[in-house]
Every structure is written in C-alpha cells, then in structure tokens.
Amino acid sequence: MDRIELIATAAFGLEAVVSRELAQLGYNEQTVEDGRVAFMGDALAICRTNLWLRSAERILVKVGAFPARDFGELFDNSVALPWDRYLPVDAKFPVSGKSVRSMITAVPSVQGVTKKSIAESLKRTHQRYWFQENGPEFPIEVSLLRDTATMSIDTTGDGLHKRGYREFAGPAPLKETLAAALVQLSYWHPERTLWDPFCGSGTIPIEAALIGRNRAPGIARNFLSETWPWIPREVWKQARDEARDLEKPGLQAQIQATDINGKAITMAKKAARDAGVPGDINFREMDVLELKTSREYGVIICNPPYGERMGDHESAEAIYDDMHDAFEPLKTWSIYVLTSHPGFERCFRRRDDRRRKLYNGRIECTYHQFHGPRPPGGFVFEDDERPIVGQPPAVQCEPDTEPPALS
Ligand SMILES: C[S@@+](CC[C@H](N)C(=O)[O-])C[C@H]1O[C@@H](n2cnc3c(N)ncnc32)[C@H](O)[C@@H]1O
C-alpha cells in the first residue's frame, strides 16, 4: 500500500499533544485542525499509531474530501472516490455522518446517499449488482463542514481510550486519553516522583506508568483494521514486535497513587495489574491532608472533585483548601490540577504559572500548572519543549525537524 492520508482524531484541546506524539513516531507531515491531526503514512503507520498514540481517540483513513452543497454533488463526488482501493467486494460498510454549518443538514439522508454512492462505485469496479456485506467491517464516516464533505474509514473500532485494563471505574473517572495528555503536558520524567493524591480508579498513575515503561497503550487490545485484507498480518506483527521490544522493565521511582476511598484503591490496583504495571505504582488509602514526603522535585498530577452537582461546591472548596495545606511544604515540587471549578485558585491560595483549557467529556476544565524549580543537573526543557517520554524511535524522521511546539 502506498502512502495514504490518515487522520488522528482527538478531543478538543488535545490536538497539539497528538501532533507531538505523531512527530515523535516520525510522522512529521501533518496538518492540525480542530479535533484532528491529518498526517501521511502507510499500512504500517495505521498499526503503529493505533498501538502507540496515547491521547488520540481514533485513526481514520481519509478517502477524499470534496464540495457537497446538495445531494447531487454529494453523490457524484463520492462515486468518483477510489472506494475499491480500500473496500473488498464483501466489505460491510455502515455509514455514520455529521453536518456542521452546511447547506445539507439532514444527516440520515447524508448517510443514505453516501451508502448508495459507495455501492454504485463498487458496482462499477467489481461489475456486480449486489453486495452481501458479510466480510470485514469498514465503518465509513461522512463529515460535512461548511459544505465540504470528508469521507473516511475508521481503522480503530473501540475508541483508543479503551486500553483494555479498566473493567470497573470510580464515580468520575478520567478518560485514559486525557489522563495520558495530562502527564505529557507536565514536566514529569520517569526518574522524578509522581503523586496523584486523588487517584480514584488510577487512570493518571497507570497512564504515567505506561509512559515511563515505554509500554504501547494499545498492546493488549485488538483493532478493527486487523481484519482488513490489505493490511497483511505480517505488518501488524512487525508493529507489535517493535512495541514489545521497546518496553522497559520497570520504573526507577515508584509512582504514588492515593485516595480517601478504599474501594477505589482496590479497583485501581486491579486496573494496574491488568495494564501490566502493578509493581510501578504504590497504591494507598489516604486523605490528601496526610500527604507527607521528604522527596524533592516531585510532580503532583491530579483531578480532585469539581463540585459540579448542587451542594457539592462547598465540599470541593474545602478539599482545595486542604490541598493548599498539604502541598505548601513541597517547595521543589511541580503541581498540576485539572478542575472545572472557577474558584480553584482562590481556595488553593496560589496563582497558576500557566493554564490550558481542556474538556473532561463535556465539562470545560482548566489545567492549572504550578511550576516548581528545575531539578539540579536534571531535566532541563525549554518552556514549550516538554518531553514526551518513552516514545518509540521515529520512522521516516526528517533530519533537523523539531516537533511542533505546543501552543
Ligand atoms: C474526580 S475523582 C478522580 C478520578 C480519577 N482521576 C480517575 O480517573 O478515576 C476525585 C477523587 O478524589 C477522591 N477524594 C475526595 N476527597 C478526598 C480527600 N480529602 N483526600 C483524598 N482523596 C479524596 C475521591 O474519592 C475521588 O476518587
């Protein structure tokens, strides 16, 4: 398979993180847009990005994009796309769609017309009149934005946040993709202590351990495109072998994961076992007020309760007040807090050094960043060049190409 245009989709606010992860994998030819990063790759790139991307939601093959101001234009332009390049004669191809700021608004009709156009295109190339659709699945997405239709095929299946390690979760778990982004947006390095004092089901510590161990987040799961005939098994095997070879045996500094809720700790321990990182995290039932350590230059990354529901506001504020008291002695530590509470800084009694708007599901949050001093002789990074630790070696890397800076 020649080079094809691929798209990594991401939650709003995480595009720059995904872009940097792609660059670390060697995919530098990119276009970053809202909610997606387009990049060039081949069949191996589909396997590698599905296995390795930590903050993306799914990987799509872009079949084409064209103007679609009415259904006639949608049909004619879609028929002309090279569908036979991707869909075998027995392909099952369900179509989903969306329309944003476009003249065509009836999404069910968009889906129906697209389905007919693909069937028509395949009829012409395969000289058939009927397709049983009893083969591998190729979910088609038609996305209309300002009268331009983009046609793509999902390679991932279950979203990339489904790593396969979390059977049960606490009441307000973070998505694994967001947790991985929080770690990657911090100055944490595997040789520094990381502590999540509100770990719940353990998502942040587990994602950090996966990063520190250089373990591909998708190594324990399957992907829809593993059933596709044009991605040979050998190519998947190559990508999985590479991932296994690159995994490191264990972290130098154990990650600390604590929470006041003992049941959450039990769940988190199981998830860490299922994720293959049980020995890298020290789980403990503990109130944040009990947080004491003589370690220096550690990093706290957490999402404490937000107090979103009525009546919870005050209890969240009391926790932020406790966080002030607990974190105050940690003069050399960096602290990262994700919350939607607008009064967080007031209650925490400290102004952040930097902030970033992120979405936890539909909840608009702020990722507050309080930078500690740089570790002596340690990891010195320019402000916009935070490292992505533990990525595999790049392929197709162009010399002298810097990863794009985060905005
Ligand atoms: C938003 S949840 C964190 C979810 C977690 N990031 C996950 O992915 O599952 C907030 C957590 O704070 C814990 N918590 C609330 N008050 C606490 C306190 N005073 N000390 C420590 N943990 C507390 C709750 O038990 C809950 O698990």
Side-chain angles (χ1 to χ4, degrees), residues 229-254:
W230 54 267
I231 307 186
R233 276 166 194 254
E234 267 313 298
V235 178
W236 274 105
K237 184 173 176 321
Q238 183 186 342
R240 284 189 183 277
D241 286 350
E242 176 195 50
R244 286 196 193 94
D245 287 349
L246 288 164
E247 191 171 330
K248 292 180 186 153
L251 290 179
Q252 285 190 14
Q254 225 187 15

PDB file of all heavy atoms in Angstrom, residues 229-254:
ATOM      1  N   PRO A 229      -8.080  -7.081   4.710  1.00  0.00           N
ATOM      2  CA  PRO A 229      -7.147  -7.853   3.882  1.00  0.00           C
ATOM      3  C   PRO A 229      -5.941  -7.066   3.393  1.00  0.00           C
ATOM      4  O   PRO A 229      -4.888  -7.655   3.157  1.00  0.00           O
ATOM      5  CB  PRO A 229      -8.019  -8.310   2.703  1.00  0.00           C
ATOM      6  CG  PRO A 229      -9.234  -7.453   2.726  1.00  0.00           C
ATOM      7  CD  PRO A 229      -9.420  -6.973   4.115  1.00  0.00           C
ATOM      8  N   TRP A 230      -6.061  -5.740   3.252  1.00  0.00           N
ATOM      9  CA  TRP A 230      -4.918  -5.007   2.676  1.00  0.00           C
ATOM     10  C   TRP A 230      -3.895  -4.559   3.722  1.00  0.00           C
ATOM     11  O   TRP A 230      -2.914  -3.899   3.398  1.00  0.00           O
ATOM     12  CB  TRP A 230      -5.366  -3.856   1.791  1.00  0.00           C
ATOM     13  CG  TRP A 230      -6.309  -2.855   2.388  1.00  0.00           C
ATOM     14  CD1 TRP A 230      -7.659  -2.885   2.318  1.00  0.00           C
ATOM     15  CD2 TRP A 230      -5.979  -1.661   3.120  1.00  0.00           C
ATOM     16  NE1 TRP A 230      -8.207  -1.798   2.963  1.00  0.00           N
ATOM     17  CE2 TRP A 230      -7.189  -1.023   3.456  1.00  0.00           C
ATOM     18  CE3 TRP A 230      -4.789  -1.065   3.528  1.00  0.00           C
ATOM     19  CZ2 TRP A 230      -7.248   0.173   4.185  1.00  0.00           C
ATOM     20  CZ3 TRP A 230      -4.835   0.128   4.250  1.00  0.00           C
ATOM     21  CH2 TRP A 230      -6.054   0.718   4.559  1.00  0.00           C
ATOM     22  N   ILE A 231      -4.127  -4.925   4.993  1.00  0.00           N
ATOM     23  CA  ILE A 231      -3.043  -4.734   5.969  1.00  0.00           C
ATOM     24  C   ILE A 231      -2.586  -6.143   6.354  1.00  0.00           C
ATOM     25  O   ILE A 231      -3.218  -6.816   7.171  1.00  0.00           O
ATOM     26  CB  ILE A 231      -3.488  -3.959   7.218  1.00  0.00           C
ATOM     27  CG1 ILE A 231      -4.161  -2.638   6.821  1.00  0.00           C
ATOM     28  CG2 ILE A 231      -2.299  -3.703   8.133  1.00  0.00           C
ATOM     29  CD1 ILE A 231      -4.518  -1.734   7.985  1.00  0.00           C
ATOM     30  N   PRO A 232      -1.501  -6.636   5.736  1.00  0.00           N
ATOM     31  CA  PRO A 232      -1.093  -8.017   5.982  1.00  0.00           C
ATOM     32  C   PRO A 232      -0.817  -8.269   7.470  1.00  0.00           C
ATOM     33  O   PRO A 232      -0.365  -7.374   8.186  1.00  0.00           O
ATOM     34  CB  PRO A 232       0.189  -8.163   5.169  1.00  0.00           C
ATOM     35  CG  PRO A 232       0.181  -7.033   4.202  1.00  0.00           C
ATOM     36  CD  PRO A 232      -0.607  -5.931   4.821  1.00  0.00           C
ATOM     37  N   ARG A 233      -1.086  -9.494   7.908  1.00  0.00           N
ATOM     38  CA  ARG A 233      -0.807  -9.876   9.300  1.00  0.00           C
ATOM     39  C   ARG A 233       0.632  -9.565   9.676  1.00  0.00           C
ATOM     40  O   ARG A 233       0.934  -9.206  10.818  1.00  0.00           O
ATOM     41  CB  ARG A 233      -1.007 -11.384   9.462  1.00  0.00           C
ATOM     42  CG  ARG A 233      -2.449 -11.753   9.716  1.00  0.00           C
ATOM     43  CD  ARG A 233      -2.652 -13.250   9.528  1.00  0.00           C
ATOM     44  NE  ARG A 233      -4.074 -13.518   9.458  1.00  0.00           N
ATOM     45  CZ  ARG A 233      -4.766 -14.065  10.427  1.00  0.00           C
ATOM     46  NH1 ARG A 233      -4.185 -14.437  11.530  1.00  0.00           N
ATOM     47  NH2 ARG A 233      -6.066 -14.261  10.303  1.00  0.00           N
ATOM     48  N   GLU A 234       1.524  -9.745   8.695  1.00  0.00           N
ATOM     49  CA  GLU A 234       2.948  -9.506   8.942  1.00  0.00           C
ATOM     50  C   GLU A 234       3.211  -8.078   9.398  1.00  0.00           C
ATOM     51  O   GLU A 234       4.101  -7.820  10.203  1.00  0.00           O
ATOM     52  CB  GLU A 234       3.742  -9.782   7.650  1.00  0.00           C
ATOM     53  CG  GLU A 234       4.283 -11.166   7.535  1.00  0.00           C
ATOM     54  CD  GLU A 234       4.975 -11.605   8.830  1.00  0.00           C
ATOM     55  OE1 GLU A 234       5.959 -10.957   9.205  1.00  0.00           O
ATOM     56  OE2 GLU A 234       4.521 -12.581   9.464  1.00  0.00           O
ATOM     57  N   VAL A 235       2.454  -7.152   8.823  1.00  0.00           N
ATOM     58  CA  VAL A 235       2.658  -5.733   9.167  1.00  0.00           C
ATOM     59  C   VAL A 235       2.204  -5.486  10.609  1.00  0.00           C
ATOM     60  O   VAL A 235       2.890  -4.807  11.386  1.00  0.00           O
ATOM     61  CB  VAL A 235       1.902  -4.826   8.171  1.00  0.00           C
ATOM     62  CG1 VAL A 235       2.063  -3.360   8.537  1.00  0.00           C
ATOM     63  CG2 VAL A 235       2.425  -5.063   6.756  1.00  0.00           C
ATOM     64  N   TRP A 236       1.084  -6.058  10.978  1.00  0.00           N
ATOM     65  CA  TRP A 236       0.646  -5.940  12.380  1.00  0.00           C
ATOM     66  C   TRP A 236       1.673  -6.578  13.302  1.00  0.00           C
ATOM     67  O   TRP A 236       1.995  -6.052  14.372  1.00  0.00           O
ATOM     68  CB  TRP A 236      -0.725  -6.599  12.579  1.00  0.00           C
ATOM     69  CG  TRP A 236      -1.855  -5.662  12.254  1.00  0.00           C
ATOM     70  CD1 TRP A 236      -2.644  -5.684  11.144  1.00  0.00           C
ATOM     71  CD2 TRP A 236      -2.296  -4.548  13.040  1.00  0.00           C
ATOM     72  NE1 TRP A 236      -3.545  -4.655  11.196  1.00  0.00           N
ATOM     73  CE2 TRP A 236      -3.359  -3.945  12.345  1.00  0.00           C
ATOM     74  CE3 TRP A 236      -1.898  -3.997  14.254  1.00  0.00           C
ATOM     75  CZ2 TRP A 236      -4.034  -2.824  12.830  1.00  0.00           C
ATOM     76  CZ3 TRP A 236      -2.565  -2.881  14.746  1.00  0.00           C
ATOM     77  CH2 TRP A 236      -3.613  -2.305  14.035  1.00  0.00           C
ATOM     78  N   LYS A 237       2.191  -7.728  12.882  1.00  0.00           N
ATOM     79  CA  LYS A 237       3.167  -8.440  13.719  1.00  0.00           C
ATOM     80  C   LYS A 237       4.423  -7.579  13.901  1.00  0.00           C
ATOM     81  O   LYS A 237       4.942  -7.444  15.012  1.00  0.00           O
ATOM     82  CB  LYS A 237       3.511  -9.787  13.084  1.00  0.00           C
ATOM     83  CG  LYS A 237       4.442 -10.630  13.934  1.00  0.00           C
ATOM     84  CD  LYS A 237       4.622 -12.012  13.354  1.00  0.00           C
ATOM     85  CE  LYS A 237       5.617 -12.849  14.139  1.00  0.00           C
ATOM     86  NZ  LYS A 237       6.792 -12.207  14.655  1.00  0.00           N
ATOM     87  N   GLN A 238       4.843  -6.959  12.796  1.00  0.00           N
ATOM     88  CA  GLN A 238       6.029  -6.091  12.857  1.00  0.00           C
ATOM     89  C   GLN A 238       5.822  -4.968  13.882  1.00  0.00           C
ATOM     90  O   GLN A 238       6.684  -4.691  14.708  1.00  0.00           O
ATOM     91  CB  GLN A 238       6.278  -5.498  11.459  1.00  0.00           C
ATOM     92  CG  GLN A 238       7.507  -4.636  11.351  1.00  0.00           C
ATOM     93  CD  GLN A 238       7.618  -3.968   9.981  1.00  0.00           C
ATOM     94  OE1 GLN A 238       6.985  -4.384   9.006  1.00  0.00           O
ATOM     95  NE2 GLN A 238       8.437  -2.931   9.920  1.00  0.00           N
ATOM     96  N   ALA A 239       4.634  -4.341  13.831  1.00  0.00           N
ATOM     97  CA  ALA A 239       4.355  -3.222  14.745  1.00  0.00           C
ATOM     98  C   ALA A 239       4.269  -3.719  16.195  1.00  0.00           C
ATOM     99  O   ALA A 239       4.773  -3.068  17.113  1.00  0.00           O
ATOM    100  CB  ALA A 239       3.051  -2.546  14.347  1.00  0.00           C
ATOM    101  N   ARG A 240       3.647  -4.866  16.403  1.00  0.00           N
ATOM    102  CA  ARG A 240       3.531  -5.392  17.776  1.00  0.00           C
ATOM    103  C   ARG A 240       4.894  -5.847  18.301  1.00  0.00           C
ATOM    104  O   ARG A 240       5.216  -5.618  19.471  1.00  0.00           O
ATOM    105  CB  ARG A 240       2.526  -6.547  17.820  1.00  0.00           C
ATOM    106  CG  ARG A 240       1.081  -6.077  17.746  1.00  0.00           C
ATOM    107  CD  ARG A 240       0.103  -7.215  18.001  1.00  0.00           C
ATOM    108  NE  ARG A 240      -1.257  -6.743  17.854  1.00  0.00           N
ATOM    109  CZ  ARG A 240      -1.957  -6.114  18.789  1.00  0.00           C
ATOM    110  NH1 ARG A 240      -1.409  -5.901  19.962  1.00  0.00           N
ATOM    111  NH2 ARG A 240      -3.186  -5.700  18.555  1.00  0.00           N
ATOM    112  N   ASP A 241       5.695  -6.474  17.431  1.00  0.00           N
ATOM    113  CA  ASP A 241       7.041  -6.907  17.863  1.00  0.00           C
ATOM    114  C   ASP A 241       7.876  -5.697  18.261  1.00  0.00           C
ATOM    115  O   ASP A 241       8.578  -5.713  19.269  1.00  0.00           O
ATOM    116  CB  ASP A 241       7.748  -7.680  16.734  1.00  0.00           C
ATOM    117  CG  ASP A 241       7.179  -9.080  16.560  1.00  0.00           C
ATOM    118  OD1 ASP A 241       6.391  -9.515  17.424  1.00  0.00           O
ATOM    119  OD2 ASP A 241       7.501  -9.729  15.549  1.00  0.00           O
ATOM    120  N   GLU A 242       7.783  -4.633  17.440  1.00  0.00           N
ATOM    121  CA  GLU A 242       8.542  -3.410  17.751  1.00  0.00           C
ATOM    122  C   GLU A 242       8.129  -2.894  19.133  1.00  0.00           C
ATOM    123  O   GLU A 242       8.965  -2.547  19.971  1.00  0.00           O
ATOM    124  CB  GLU A 242       8.255  -2.331  16.694  1.00  0.00           C
ATOM    125  CG  GLU A 242       8.923  -1.009  17.006  1.00  0.00           C
ATOM    126  CD  GLU A 242       8.374   0.168  16.188  1.00  0.00           C
ATOM    127  OE1 GLU A 242       7.132   0.361  16.128  1.00  0.00           O
ATOM    128  OE2 GLU A 242       9.199   0.901  15.635  1.00  0.00           O
ATOM    129  N   ALA A 243       6.806  -2.872  19.371  1.00  0.00           N
ATOM    130  CA  ALA A 243       6.300  -2.348  20.650  1.00  0.00           C
ATOM    131  C   ALA A 243       6.814  -3.202  21.811  1.00  0.00           C
ATOM    132  O   ALA A 243       7.251  -2.673  22.841  1.00  0.00           O
ATOM    133  CB  ALA A 243       4.776  -2.312  20.629  1.00  0.00           C
ATOM    134  N   ARG A 244       6.775  -4.511  21.655  1.00  0.00           N
ATOM    135  CA  ARG A 244       7.238  -5.393  22.750  1.00  0.00           C
ATOM    136  C   ARG A 244       8.728  -5.200  23.001  1.00  0.00           C
ATOM    137  O   ARG A 244       9.180  -5.145  24.140  1.00  0.00           O
ATOM    138  CB  ARG A 244       6.934  -6.855  22.423  1.00  0.00           C
ATOM    139  CG  ARG A 244       5.456  -7.148  22.579  1.00  0.00           C
ATOM    140  CD  ARG A 244       5.135  -8.620  22.654  1.00  0.00           C
ATOM    141  NE  ARG A 244       3.705  -8.771  22.492  1.00  0.00           N
ATOM    142  CZ  ARG A 244       3.102  -9.014  21.329  1.00  0.00           C
ATOM    143  NH1 ARG A 244       3.810  -9.185  20.235  1.00  0.00           N
ATOM    144  NH2 ARG A 244       1.776  -9.097  21.271  1.00  0.00           N
ATOM    145  N   ASP A 245       9.495  -5.062  21.921  1.00  0.00           N
ATOM    146  CA  ASP A 245      10.949  -4.893  22.070  1.00  0.00           C
ATOM    147  C   ASP A 245      11.300  -3.610  22.808  1.00  0.00           C
ATOM    148  O   ASP A 245      12.329  -3.527  23.471  1.00  0.00           O
ATOM    149  CB  ASP A 245      11.628  -4.837  20.684  1.00  0.00           C
ATOM    150  CG  ASP A 245      11.653  -6.196  20.020  1.00  0.00           C
ATOM    151  OD1 ASP A 245      11.342  -7.188  20.711  1.00  0.00           O
ATOM    152  OD2 ASP A 245      11.951  -6.259  18.805  1.00  0.00           O
ATOM    153  N   LEU A 246      10.462  -2.597  22.652  1.00  0.00           N
ATOM    154  CA  LEU A 246      10.804  -1.280  23.208  1.00  0.00           C
ATOM    155  C   LEU A 246      10.366  -1.103  24.663  1.00  0.00           C
ATOM    156  O   LEU A 246      10.703  -0.113  25.295  1.00  0.00           O
ATOM    157  CB  LEU A 246      10.171  -0.179  22.346  1.00  0.00           C
ATOM    158  CG  LEU A 246      10.833   0.000  20.980  1.00  0.00           C
ATOM    159  CD1 LEU A 246       9.950   0.793  20.043  1.00  0.00           C
ATOM    160  CD2 LEU A 246      12.185   0.681  21.145  1.00  0.00           C
ATOM    161  N   GLU A 247       9.612  -2.081  25.176  1.00  0.00           N
ATOM    162  CA  GLU A 247       9.113  -1.929  26.553  1.00  0.00           C
ATOM    163  C   GLU A 247      10.266  -2.059  27.551  1.00  0.00           C
ATOM    164  O   GLU A 247      11.124  -2.928  27.416  1.00  0.00           O
ATOM    165  CB  GLU A 247       8.058  -3.002  26.821  1.00  0.00           C
ATOM    166  CG  GLU A 247       7.320  -2.737  28.097  1.00  0.00           C
ATOM    167  CD  GLU A 247       6.133  -3.659  28.289  1.00  0.00           C
ATOM    168  OE1 GLU A 247       5.530  -4.093  27.279  1.00  0.00           O
ATOM    169  OE2 GLU A 247       5.832  -3.967  29.442  1.00  0.00           O
ATOM    170  N   LYS A 248      10.256  -1.163  28.562  1.00  0.00           N
ATOM    171  CA  LYS A 248      11.323  -1.193  29.567  1.00  0.00           C
ATOM    172  C   LYS A 248      10.850  -1.987  30.781  1.00  0.00           C
ATOM    173  O   LYS A 248       9.651  -2.021  31.066  1.00  0.00           O
ATOM    174  CB  LYS A 248      11.677   0.238  29.987  1.00  0.00           C
ATOM    175  CG  LYS A 248      12.340   1.012  28.886  1.00  0.00           C
ATOM    176  CD  LYS A 248      12.669   2.409  29.340  1.00  0.00           C
ATOM    177  CE  LYS A 248      13.203   3.228  28.177  1.00  0.00           C
ATOM    178  NZ  LYS A 248      12.962   4.650  28.347  1.00  0.00           N
ATOM    179  N   PRO A 249      11.795  -2.578  31.520  1.00  0.00           N
ATOM    180  CA  PRO A 249      11.388  -3.496  32.584  1.00  0.00           C
ATOM    181  C   PRO A 249      10.675  -2.854  33.777  1.00  0.00           C
ATOM    182  O   PRO A 249       9.740  -3.424  34.312  1.00  0.00           O
ATOM    183  CB  PRO A 249      12.707  -4.139  33.021  1.00  0.00           C
ATOM    184  CG  PRO A 249      13.790  -3.274  32.488  1.00  0.00           C
ATOM    185  CD  PRO A 249      13.240  -2.545  31.305  1.00  0.00           C
ATOM    186  N   GLY A 250      11.085  -1.698  34.226  1.00  0.00           N
ATOM    187  CA  GLY A 250      10.439  -1.142  35.428  1.00  0.00           C
ATOM    188  C   GLY A 250      10.855   0.294  35.648  1.00  0.00           C
ATOM    189  O   GLY A 250      11.879   0.736  35.136  1.00  0.00           O
ATOM    190  N   LEU A 251      10.067   1.022  36.437  1.00  0.00           N
ATOM    191  CA  LEU A 251      10.383   2.427  36.697  1.00  0.00           C
ATOM    192  C   LEU A 251      11.410   2.536  37.820  1.00  0.00           C
ATOM    193  O   LEU A 251      11.412   1.713  38.742  1.00  0.00           O
ATOM    194  CB  LEU A 251       9.119   3.175  37.125  1.00  0.00           C
ATOM    195  CG  LEU A 251       8.051   3.410  36.065  1.00  0.00           C
ATOM    196  CD1 LEU A 251       6.880   4.145  36.687  1.00  0.00           C
ATOM    197  CD2 LEU A 251       8.618   4.220  34.919  1.00  0.00           C
ATOM    198  N   GLN A 252      12.233   3.596  37.766  1.00  0.00           N
ATOM    199  CA  GLN A 252      13.190   3.818  38.855  1.00  0.00           C
ATOM    200  C   GLN A 252      12.478   4.322  40.095  1.00  0.00           C
ATOM    201  O   GLN A 252      12.670   3.822  41.188  1.00  0.00           O
ATOM    202  CB  GLN A 252      14.229   4.831  38.408  1.00  0.00           C
ATOM    203  CG  GLN A 252      15.233   4.218  37.445  1.00  0.00           C
ATOM    204  CD  GLN A 252      16.381   5.157  37.200  1.00  0.00           C
ATOM    205  OE1 GLN A 252      16.557   6.130  37.913  1.00  0.00           O
ATOM    206  NE2 GLN A 252      17.160   4.871  36.179  1.00  0.00           N
ATOM    207  N   ALA A 253      11.640   5.332  39.918  1.00  0.00           N
ATOM    208  CA  ALA A 253      10.912   5.894  41.068  1.00  0.00           C
ATOM    209  C   ALA A 253       9.469   5.410  40.989  1.00  0.00           C
ATOM    210  O   ALA A 253       8.809   5.601  39.974  1.00  0.00           O
ATOM    211  CB  ALA A 253      10.963   7.417  41.016  1.00  0.00           C
ATOM    212  N   GLN A 254       9.019   4.787  42.070  1.00  0.00           N
ATOM    213  CA  GLN A 254       7.648   4.280  42.065  1.00  0.00           C
ATOM    214  C   GLN A 254       6.655   5.449  42.088  1.00  0.00           C
ATOM    215  O   GLN A 254       6.885   6.455  42.750  1.00  0.00           O
ATOM    216  CB  GLN A 254       7.451   3.419  43.303  1.00  0.00           C
ATOM    217  CG  GLN A 254       6.737   2.142  43.001  1.00  0.00           C
ATOM    218  CD  GLN A 254       6.413   1.380  44.273  1.00  0.00           C
ATOM    219  OE1 GLN A 254       6.478   1.913  45.364  1.00  0.00           O
ATOM    220  NE2 GLN A 254       6.055   0.133  44.104  1.00  0.00           N
TER     221      GLN A 254
END
